[in-house]
Amino acid sequence: MIRRNVTLAVVAAALAALVGCSHTAAKQKKTDKPLPLEKISAQFQPVRVWSAAVGKPEPKLRLGLAPAIDGNRVYAAGPHGDVLALDLATGRHLWQKQLKLALSGGPGAGNGLVLVCSSGGTVVALAASDGAERWRVDLNSELLSAPVITPELAVVRTVDGKLYGLETASGKTRWVTDQQVPRLTLRGTSRPVVAGDLVFAGFDNGRLMAVTLSGGTTAWDVAVGQPRGSSELQRLIDIDSPAALDGDDIFAVAFQGHAVRLARDSGREIWSHEISSYRGLAADALGVYVSTADGDVVRLDRASGAERWRQKELERRSLTAPVLQGSRVLVADYQGVIHWLKADDGSFVARSKGGARISAAPQVAGDLVIVQTDKGAIEAWRAPVN
């Protein structure tokens, strides 16, 4: 029986075998190693201002755990059931809760709630003020991404291709919609995003869907590339990263598919650029920034989708999704290194070394960058914004 979820390491090895490369085994092994970091001419030095632990680590699983910033607080969760609230400026503990669940997604924070999800399909809502439990529901499927919380609904995506609208007051299901899931997928789930009365979510079949927040009816449904090849591995086309919203546009990217710019309200395609990513993208007024499956950081032109620059010095370093901090692009890697690049040309301007591998995208709040390492540490780094 084929495993439903596969890790990127397994996929990379299998795809390499399918290509039928004629190199020797020794040369292939050398080629597949992450690139060592070259020295850079740093323009500033990021400073770590605080750190905090969030329970025991689970570094061998790719989980959807990442810090969430809401107001002047940071919320974080660990794989063994720990949930905590920290002061954003100082890292001071405000409250901590032990849920005795194998947490795998979240937290999502907003509208007075903090939501976390378990590998067994349980969603737990806690009060943002003190961590008191408000409700919990069982959705009977693993959850690998954070919910998005609106005043009336929490929207949750499960690995079996379902998208739920849960009432924030009680956890009761108001609506559910779904997409067909391929037999073989990457281990990951796209976090939903909300704009107005539309919820946007990517699925493992390479489709981006917009549904109404009020009733869960489909507004539009678009393919972000088409599966190609004869094997299931070659036909993987998961959208495992959240879409990026900017103005009237929405941007999305698929593994072994495309990056696309779509009209937010209609799903009309404005441009499509062939590129592969399972980590994700970010967008601003001038560009769309993608962490590719190979470990390149690429800027695409906002208007046309044409490639403007490609930073190749981080290849095979298992990059996070890019995030924006002023005029800079940030990514972190498998050694816990955080990289700051200039948005206009992709050159390095700063670098810092965290405590361990970072898989989840950094979170930015002004001059603070918050990361969660795979060993369960939350770190806050200060970097100037320009």
Side-chain angles (χ1 to χ4, degrees), residues 15 21 50 57 79 85 92 174 195 225 282 293 324 326 350 362 366 383:
L15 288 177
C21 181
W50 57 260
R92 178 173 62 90
R174 180 176 295 181
L324 296 169

Side-chain angles (χ1 to χ4, degrees), residues 47 49-50 67-75 86-90 323-326 328 330 340 361-371 379-386:
V47 177
V49 293
W50 57 260
I69 299 173
D70 187 38
N72 60 0
R73 291 187 174 192
V74 178
Y75 301 95
L86 305 166
D87 182 81
L88 175 62
T90 66
V323 296
L324 296 169
Q325 186 186 35
R328 303 184 182 111
L330 282 73
W340 281 257
Q363 304 294 307
V364 173
D367 64 350
L368 287 180
V369 176
I370 311 297
V371 297
E379 300 176 350
W381 294 82
R382 177 164 283 121
V385 180
N386 68 357

Side-chain angles (χ1 to χ4, degrees), residues 223-225 250-262 269-277 280-281 288-290 298 300 304-305:
V224 184
I250 184 167
F251 303 88
V253 65
F255 180 69
Q256 301 184 143
H258 293 80
V260 295
R261 175 187 173 189
L262 308 172
E269 183 179 293
I270 299 170
W271 54 253
S272 175
H273 182 97
E274 186 171 353
I275 198 168
S276 176
S277 174
L281 47 69
V288 180
Y289 310 88
V290 184
V298 177
L300 305 177
S304 67

Side-chain angles (χ1 to χ4, degrees), residues 262-340:
L262 308 172
R264 189 184 74 186
D265 292 339
S266 66
R268 177 180 59 86
E269 183 179 293
I270 299 170
W271 54 253
S272 175
H273 182 97
E274 186 171 353
I275 198 168
S276 176
S277 174
Y278 60 92
R279 289 302 197 191
L281 47 69
D284 63 14
L286 297 177
V288 180
Y289 310 88
V290 184
S291 291
T292 74
D294 294 329
D296 294 343
V297 184
V298 177
R299 174 181 165 179
L300 305 177
D301 184 77
R302 165 77 179 245
S304 67
E307 185 174 315
R308 293 307 183 205
W309 55 255
R310 179 179 291 259
Q311 176 55 260
K312 298 181 68 67
E313 293 186 19
L314 301 176
E315 287 190 351
R316 299 178 295 280
R317 294 187 65 85
S318 299
L319 302 182
T320 66
V323 296
L324 296 169
Q325 186 186 35
S327 62
R328 303 184 182 111
V329 182
L330 282 73
V331 292
D333 69 22
Y334 81 107
Q335 289 184 320
V337 181
I338 309 168
H339 308 267
W340 281 257

Side-chain angles (χ1 to χ4, degrees), residues 160-352:
D160 61 355
K162 291 184 172 61
L163 189 68
Y164 289 86
L166 308 177
E167 295 181 0
T168 54
S170 64
K172 179 182 177 181
T173 298
R174 180 176 295 181
W175 52 258
V176 58
T177 187
D178 64 357
Q179 285 274 345
Q180 184 177 0
V181 176
R183 285 204 306 162
L184 189 68
T185 69
L186 302 181
R187 181 173 174 79
T189 303
S190 170
R191 175 176 55 82
V193 294
V194 172
D197 187 46
L198 289 180
V199 182
F200 307 92
F203 291 85
D204 297 343
N205 58 3
R207 303 194 71 85
L208 181 69
M209 183 166 67
V211 303
T212 60
L213 184 62
S214 55
T217 57
T218 301
W220 52 259
D221 180 359
V222 173
V224 184
Q226 296 291 338
R228 293 176 294 182
S230 57
S231 74
E232 288 183 292
L233 282 171
Q234 290 171 322
R235 293 176 63 82
L236 288 170
I237 195 163
D238 303 46
I239 301 177
D240 278 350
S241 56
L245 291 165
D246 192 74
D248 293 330
D249 296 324
I250 184 167
F251 303 88
V253 65
F255 180 69
Q256 301 184 143
H258 293 80
V260 295
R261 175 187 173 189
L262 308 172
R264 189 184 74 186
D265 292 339
S266 66
R268 177 180 59 86
E269 183 179 293
I270 299 170
W271 54 253
S272 175
H273 182 97
E274 186 171 353
I275 198 168
S276 176
S277 174
Y278 60 92
R279 289 302 197 191
L281 47 69
D284 63 14
L286 297 177
V288 180
Y289 310 88
V290 184
S291 291
T292 74
D294 294 329
D296 294 343
V297 184
V298 177
R299 174 181 165 179
L300 305 177
D301 184 77
R302 165 77 179 245
S304 67
E307 185 174 315
R308 293 307 183 205
W309 55 255
R310 179 179 291 259
Q311 176 55 260
K312 298 181 68 67
E313 293 186 19
L314 301 176
E315 287 190 351
R316 299 178 295 280
R317 294 187 65 85
S318 299
L319 302 182
T320 66
V323 296
L324 296 169
Q325 186 186 35
S327 62
R328 303 184 182 111
V329 182
L330 282 73
V331 292
D333 69 22
Y334 81 107
Q335 289 184 320
V337 181
I338 309 168
H339 308 267
W340 281 257
L341 294 76
K342 290 178 65 176
D344 59 359
D345 63 10
S347 61
F348 293 101
V349 293
R351 182 175 286 161
S352 64

